[in-house]
Amino acid sequence: MKQKQKDFLGKLAMAVTGMLIFSAGINFFIVPADLYNGGMLGISQLIRTLLVKYLHVFSGTTDIAGIINMLLNIPLCFIAWYYVSKSFFARTLICVISQTIFLSFLPIPSTPLVGDTLTASMIGGIIAGSGIGIALRAGGSSGGLDIIGMYFTKHFKNFSVGRISLCVNAVIYAICAVLFGVQTAIYCIIYSAVSTLMTDKAHTQNINTEVLIFTKNNPIKIMDYIVNAFNRDATWWEARGGYTEGKTFMVMAILSKYECAHLRRELRQIDEHAFIVEKDGIGIGGKYEKHL
């Protein structure tokens, strides 16, 4: 029990750290360059700009985009609670609250830290994307389109988190092009591309991995762990070793790279001599649910 609590607190600290890094990238580089994030935070930034620059309300030293983002996430958190999972809701809530605090209180430089917008968009993308990736690696989520994507992915076969994000971001950057000029929209797209690349490099949840486990005992226990811990199916069969011709067992499953890390740790407890083979980036057809 103590080890589980320690692991939970470690992941929680890692997720909050990821949100801190993400918020630093936004407040130190993206906001001073008058650029916009994608997703729900991008919508919040657009609302912030309309309120502050055009309606002349909420004009102060604190950026209210984080607060607006949290308000927009409140109804989405209920969707996460009822339609995704309670653990996903808890992780999302923690990340959204910490993100709101960091975005609200991290100081925004009065002048850009770098000389040109292109550099700001790339550095901001590297920092912000790395932060999101770290949070995802810890099992966290910044809410917003992640929740919407998970809901639609569960209920509609042809929907995916990436597709929804792409559509919403296209609308956000089209609005940026109309309100602030095409050049601003182009820099936002560059930032988004760099941020997405860094997120993919930093987290492992959406990398599909084929797993083959060779064990001389306990194939059923390994199967039970995969089914109960990850809500995945698996297949096992009896085989013969080519060198010793001794009896062995093979267990095969499709997991995310993130889930594989947990499986390797558990295998040390079930069968420390088990041999595991992983093949990343495989194509999958049929019924396979991505877990966030």
Side-chain angles (χ1 to χ4, degrees):
M1 186 65 180
K2 289 184 178 180
Q3 185 61 40
K4 287 186 177 180
Q5 290 178 344
K6 188 177 180 180
D7 291 341
F8 173 77
L9 292 175
K11 289 183 180 179
L12 178 62
M14 186 176 176
V16 172
T17 300
M19 289 295 100
L20 173 60
I21 295 172
F22 168 77
S23 302
I26 295 295
N27 278 14
F28 294 163
F29 295 96
I30 302 306
V31 175
D34 291 325
L35 299 179
Y36 294 82
N37 199 72
M40 197 60 68
L41 180 58
I43 296 173
S44 303
Q45 289 175 314
L46 286 174
I47 295 174
R48 182 269 327 267
T49 299
L50 293 175
L51 290 175
V52 174
K53 290 189 176 181
Y54 295 97
L55 299 179
H56 305 291
V57 294
F58 298 112
S59 54
T61 56
T62 300
D63 188 4
I64 62 170
I67 298 173
I68 296 173
N69 181 58
M70 184 171 182
L71 293 175
L72 293 178
N73 268 288
I74 289 176
L76 297 179
C77 284
F78 283 104
I79 294 176
W81 175 271
Y82 287 108
Y83 297 106
V84 182
S85 71
K86 304 298 187 295
S87 60
F88 179 69
F89 161 80
R91 296 194 302 267
T92 299
L93 185 63
I94 291 170
C95 287
V96 169
I97 291 174
S98 60
Q99 183 188 86
T100 300
I101 293 172
F102 295 140
L103 287 174
S104 299
F105 293 102
L106 282 178
I108 298 174
S110 55
T111 57
L113 295 179
V114 292
D116 62 282
T117 308
L118 177 60
T119 304
S121 65
M122 296 186 72
I123 295 178
I126 291 171
I127 297 174
S130 298
I132 290 293
I134 290 170
L136 287 171
R137 191 163 191 151
S141 167
S142 58
L145 298 184
D146 289 345
I147 298 174
I148 297 174
M150 286 293 290
Y151 173 80
F152 279 103
T153 299
K154 280 178 171 289
H155 289 81
F156 302 98
K157 184 177 180 180
N158 295 325
F159 275 87
S160 68
V161 178
R163 184 177 299 178
I164 293 174
S165 298
L166 182 63
C167 293
V168 172
N169 290 346
V171 173
I172 291 173
Y173 295 141
I175 294 173
C176 288
V178 172
L179 294 179
F180 315 119
V182 175
Q183 190 175 35
T184 297
I186 291 174
Y187 285 131
C188 289
I189 293 172
I190 293 172
Y191 155 72
S192 180
V194 174
S195 176
T196 301
L197 178 64
M198 293 305 301
T199 298
D200 288 343
K201 293 293 184 183
H203 91 97
T204 56
Q205 288 182 350
N206 288 324
I207 300 175
N208 300 322
T209 303
E210 177 186 358
V211 180
L212 281 174
I213 303 167
F214 299 83
T215 178
K216 293 187 180 298
N217 57 353
N218 291 327
I220 300 299
K221 193 171 182 179
I222 295 173
M223 284 271 297
D224 288 342
Y225 176 74
I226 293 173
V227 171
N228 295 324
F230 309 126
N231 194 27
R232 301 288 192 196
D233 200 0
T235 303
W236 74 274
W237 60 93
E238 184 179 323
R240 290 284 176 181
Y243 182 74
T244 64
E245 295 189 358
K247 184 171 70 172
T248 187
F249 301 97
M250 295 177 63
V251 180
M252 186 266 189
I254 305 296
L255 305 174
S256 72
K257 191 71 173 175
Y258 177 78
E259 291 165 336
C260 287
H262 293 272
L263 176 61
R264 285 194 298 271
R265 285 197 294 268
E266 185 65 21
L267 274 177
R268 288 196 289 267
Q269 305 298 322
I270 299 174
D271 181 3
E272 62 178 349
H273 301 294
F275 183 74
I276 182 170
V277 178
E278 299 176 13
K279 184 178 180 181
D280 296 341
I282 61 171
I284 297 176
K287 188 177 180 181
Y288 178 79
E289 181 179 327
K290 283 194 173 184
H291 296 165
L292 189 61

